[in-house]
Amino acid sequence: MDTTLNDPPPGSAWGDPHLGTLLDGRYRVEERIAVGGMATVYRGTDTRLDRVLALKVMHPSLAGDSGFSDRFIREAKAVARLSHPNVVNVFDQGADGSAVFLAMEYVPGWTLRDLLRDRGALSARAALDVLEPVLAALGAAHRAGLVHRDVKPENVLITDGGLVKVADFGLVRLLSGADTAITDATTPGVIMGTVSYLAPEQIQPSAATDQRVDVYAAGIMLYELLTGSKPYSGDNPMQVIYRHLHEDVPPPSLAVPGLAPELDAIVAAATARDPQHRPWDAVELLAALQRVRRVLTPAQLDAEPPASSRQAPQFSPAEATSVLAAPAVERTSVFTGPPPELITRPRPYHEPPRPPRTPRRQRNPRSRRGLIWGSVLAVVALLVAGISYLLSGAVYATVPSVLGQSQAQAVSILDGAGLRGSFSQAFSETVPPGQVISSDPGVGRRARKSDPVKVTVSKGPQRIAVPDVTGKPLDQAQQQLTAAQLTPGTTTQQYSPSVPQGSVISTDPAAGQQLPVNAPIALVVSKGAAPVAVPDTTGLAVSDAQSKLSGAGFKVALATDQTYSDTVPAGSVAAQDVTGTATPGSTVTLTLSKGPQPAPVPSVTGMSQSDATDALTAAGFKVKSSGLNFFGLSSVSGQTPAPGTMLPKGSTVTINF
């Protein structure tokens, strides 16, 4: 029983507030496509790049929940790590008010659910053609350390050109640590996902889950593709959950007689209730699926599903695994089933009662002739279709998946499909060296047998040695890092006595370390030497001042002009232009003293001794008396030097009586 919401009619407004709006000033919301449990998907346009895309907007009731918002944003970050032709790309993630959204690749076409509704059960070949690219996408996710956790037909998109893409990583989880196990952190008692495709360990709150939950869901999907219906049904979700926990998935040949036992075996292995009995990840299941395809005859692959049912052999998980692991060269067209002592307890499935026969009516000759002509035309149409198919098969072949295979294995697989490969190499952060990254045309696409399939083989992760940019000016260092396919990162400044100001002292990571392309490199740039105290040389002789400044690491220069100083003797340092602290190596300029500034000697002749002394002292001179001045009544009769003479202040003027 599927608990996801039904899709609304395309373009139906339903009072939707987002239709016609512009998200983040860039993405125009044009048409509603579908509504899910966490978000609504719209068709929109990136007005900046003029590109049609899909906009996935979280429901407002969940946007305020940090847990759901984090899970929503985790989808964007998780899918951004994947680069695979069978994964729907995520271009951007943002928020506009209360609207939290993802901007994703728009995939015109239909979902796998639409295909199942339209056609019902598929032939084995068609089912494998659909499931192989799904497993290729999941395999890329698993090898990148991601688990989808919500694999179902609604999340498998098929383009108009037949390309299969996996979407909706909304419940994605990162694999944690060396044991690659993850534990759900959802609310106790709440099951995230669609119950029809949940693995038993997803339902049990205390059970650890890993990438094998996707393998289980893929096995359920394979059952549904082969039979046209889900293996479990019930009146409510709890009944379906109970059957997941306590019943094995029935063989698909029980519902569709004539299916090969190998298909029963692969469904049994993928849907084993104990995850230890399932393939380790989607890559391993894909390899097993390809082995099964190679042992099936064209008649088994192309047989249309009949409407009746019969009893089918059943496989234990160990027996199913042994069937899947059989070498492809040892093709077994008939499987007799396991020995009686290994057969598991028969399951309570019974053949449905056949409808009662309607009494045959007497036909008239005219209707009989019409029936004959109709049969003839039908036979002719079948012959034409068969010849067209055979001719098409002579020219075209379906591209098998070679994801994760070595070049030699890829050559063998393509040769088995009647195709040849043209191999090239590329760097990959997720695919080990020597294994296939992708093919062009992609998995499941039809290719001309005369044209080579372009296969890209991994060279492993590209690593670049950090260049040595120490001692270089900042702009030159940044240019050199960019040229080396690295990204100049944050810049900090630091004093250095040896590296010139504005040049690089060091990088983090250091020079020579091997890093991925575009890895950020932090730069430490010199501010020059740290400032130190400048000695005060005022009043010192020139030689002493020069010696003191040089010893502190400064250069010394003498000013061309000198200055008068009442306190510093002529020829000594009257002033310096740098005080406090300065960078070692900088220049300190000294100004020398010319001594006190000269001033004119005032005339004091005829003054009393006291008045003359006051006048000369006020002019900056010292006073000396000569002669006799009885009782201070005599006046100054003369002075030396004469009035008007220019003397340095502080000089002595002699007054005579």
Side-chain angles (χ1 to χ4, degrees):
M1 178 176 179
D2 194 355
T3 60
T4 56
L5 299 178
N6 293 327
D7 295 347
S12 173
W14 288 1
D16 194 317
H18 294 302
L19 290 176
T21 61
L22 196 65
L23 294 178
D24 202 19
R26 176 175 180 176
Y27 303 108
R28 185 171 60 247
V29 182
E30 296 175 343
E31 179 184 4
R32 181 156 55 183
I33 300 173
V35 177
M38 292 177 59
T40 301
V41 182
Y42 302 88
R43 180 177 60 82
T45 298
D46 183 346
T47 58
R48 188 176 302 169
L49 300 178
D50 194 22
R51 173 173 61 183
V52 177
L53 42 68
L55 297 169
K56 183 175 181 181
V57 183
M58 179 182 283
H59 294 326
S61 59
L62 301 177
D65 187 322
S66 59
F68 280 99
S69 297
D70 291 344
R71 185 180 296 116
F72 197 72
I73 294 171
R74 185 167 66 241
E75 172 181 3
K77 293 181 179 179
V79 182
R81 292 172 54 182
L82 297 178
S83 178
H84 194 276
N86 299 116
V87 175
V88 175
N89 293 320
V90 171
F91 301 137
D92 192 10
Q93 178 272 325
D96 189 340
S98 62
V100 181
F101 68 90
L102 303 180
M104 306 183 301
E105 175 186 7
Y106 177 67
V107 182
W110 56 89
T111 67
L112 180 55
R113 174 64 64 206
D114 298 328
L115 180 64
L116 287 170
R117 290 194 190 109
D118 182 58
R119 293 188 53 181
L122 306 179
S123 66
R125 186 188 299 276
L128 299 182
D129 287 346
V130 171
L131 194 60
E132 283 186 1
V134 172
L135 293 176
L138 294 175
H142 293 171
R143 293 299 165 92
L146 303 173
V147 183
H148 190 289
R149 301 205 313 161
D150 197 21
V151 178
K152 59 184 178 181
E154 288 80 358
N155 290 337
V156 177
L157 307 181
I158 305 174
T159 68
D160 294 332
L163 180 63
V164 176
K165 285 181 172 284
V166 177
D168 197 357
F169 279 70
L171 300 182
V172 73
R173 278 283 184 160
L174 293 173
L175 293 171
S176 63
D179 61 354
T180 67
I182 59 175
T183 304
D184 290 341
T186 53
T187 305
V190 176
I191 298 174
M192 301 299 296
T194 306
V195 295
S196 295
Y197 305 91
L198 290 177
E201 61 267 29
Q202 285 179 283
I203 301 169
Q204 298 171 337
S206 60
T209 60
D210 57 20
Q211 67 279 355
R212 286 171 288 188
V213 301
D214 290 346
V215 172
Y216 184 92
I220 298 291
M221 278 199 350
L222 177 59
Y223 180 95
E224 193 171 357
L225 291 171
L226 294 171
T227 66
S229 61
K230 303 182 185 75
Y232 300 133
S233 60
D235 296 332
N236 56 65
M238 294 310 300
Q239 292 183 1
V240 178
I241 289 174
Y242 181 87
R243 297 186 68 180
H244 277 291
L245 291 172
H246 300 287
E247 297 180 13
D248 292 328
V249 172
S253 63
L254 190 67
V256 180
L259 284 178
E262 291 84 355
L263 294 173
D264 287 343
I266 201 167
V267 169
T271 60
R273 282 185 284 163
D274 184 351
Q276 298 299 325
H277 293 153
R278 298 179 209 148
W280 173 246
D281 60 8
V283 174
E284 187 174 321
L285 179 58
L286 176 60
L289 206 68
Q290 292 171 339
R291 287 196 296 268
V292 167
R293 180 193 282 269
R294 291 196 290 271
V295 302
L296 297 182
T297 65
Q300 289 173 312
L301 286 169
D302 297 319
E304 290 298 326
S308 59
S309 62
R310 62 172 175 83
Q311 185 63 32
Q314 300 186 24
F315 301 90
S316 68
E319 295 158 353
T321 303
S322 67
V323 172
L324 299 182
V329 294
E330 299 177 5
R331 183 171 66 86
T332 304
S333 58
V334 177
F335 185 82
T336 58
E341 63 273 12
L342 295 180
I343 297 180
T344 58
R345 179 176 54 84
R347 303 184 182 95
Y349 295 100
H350 305 284
E351 183 177 4
R354 298 183 179 180
R357 293 187 176 182
T358 304
R360 187 176 298 174
R361 296 181 179 178
Q362 185 69 31
R363 297 187 179 92
N364 57 45
R366 184 173 299 174
S367 63
R368 185 173 299 171
R369 284 196 299 272
L371 180 61
I372 293 173
W373 277 109
S375 301
V376 171
L377 292 175
V379 171
V380 172
L382 287 173
L383 288 174
V384 171
I387 293 172
S388 299
Y389 177 81
L390 291 175
L391 291 177
S392 174
V395 177
Y396 292 92
T398 300
V399 177
S401 173
V402 291
L403 174 70
Q405 304 295 325
S406 66
Q407 181 169 336
Q409 292 171 327
V411 169
S412 176
I413 293 172
L414 291 173
D415 183 66
L419 297 167
R420 59 189 176 90
S422 172
F423 293 86
S424 61
Q425 291 187 321
F427 292 106
S428 173
E429 292 293 324
T430 57
V431 180
Q435 294 185 8
V436 173
I437 302 172
S438 62
S439 64
D440 182 18
V443 178
R445 301 292 296 271
R446 291 177 66 79
R448 294 180 66 91
K449 293 184 177 180
S450 59
D451 297 334
V453 176
K454 297 177 181 178
V455 181
T456 304
V457 179
S458 172
K459 294 196 292 184
Q462 183 178 7
R463 293 294 179 263
I464 297 173
V466 178
D468 186 2
V469 295
T470 55
K472 295 186 177 181
L474 177 60
D475 57 345
Q476 294 182 16
Q478 291 174 330
Q479 292 173 5
Q480 187 171 347
L481 290 174
T482 302
Q485 294 182 285
L486 297 171
T487 302
T490 58
T491 299
T492 56
Q493 292 188 325
Q494 180 178 310
Y495 291 112
S496 172
S498 58
V499 179
Q501 183 176 358
S503 296
V504 175
I505 299 174
S506 62
T507 60
D508 185 17
Q513 290 197 27
Q514 301 289 324
L515 300 177
V517 176
N518 296 325
I521 307 297
L523 299 169
V524 179
V525 180
S526 173
K527 294 196 294 183
V532 297
V534 180
D536 183 8
T537 60
T538 304
L540 297 179
V542 175
S543 59
D544 293 339
Q546 289 176 328
S547 176
K548 192 172 185 179
L549 289 170
S550 298
F554 297 98
K555 299 176 182 178
V556 182
L558 297 178
T560 56
D561 295 329
Q562 296 181 343
T563 185
Y564 292 106
S565 174
D566 295 338
T567 58
V568 178
S572 296
V573 177
Q576 61 187 56
D577 64 341
V578 180
T579 60
T581 60
T583 303
S586 57
T587 300
V588 179
T589 301
L590 303 179
T591 301
L592 302 183
S593 171
K594 294 193 293 183
Q597 184 176 4
V601 177
S603 175
V604 294
T605 301
M607 293 183 182
S608 65
Q609 183 176 2
S610 62
D611 290 342
T613 300
D614 291 342
L616 290 171
T617 302
F621 299 103
K622 298 177 182 178
V623 180
K624 179 180 179 183
S625 298
S626 178
L628 297 175
N629 183 10
F630 296 100
F631 306 107
L633 298 176
S634 300
S635 298
V636 176
S637 61
Q639 62 184 69
T640 305
T645 302
M646 301 295 293
L647 290 179
K649 292 181 179 181
S651 300
T652 300
V653 177
T654 302
I655 56 176
N656 300 313
F657 294 97

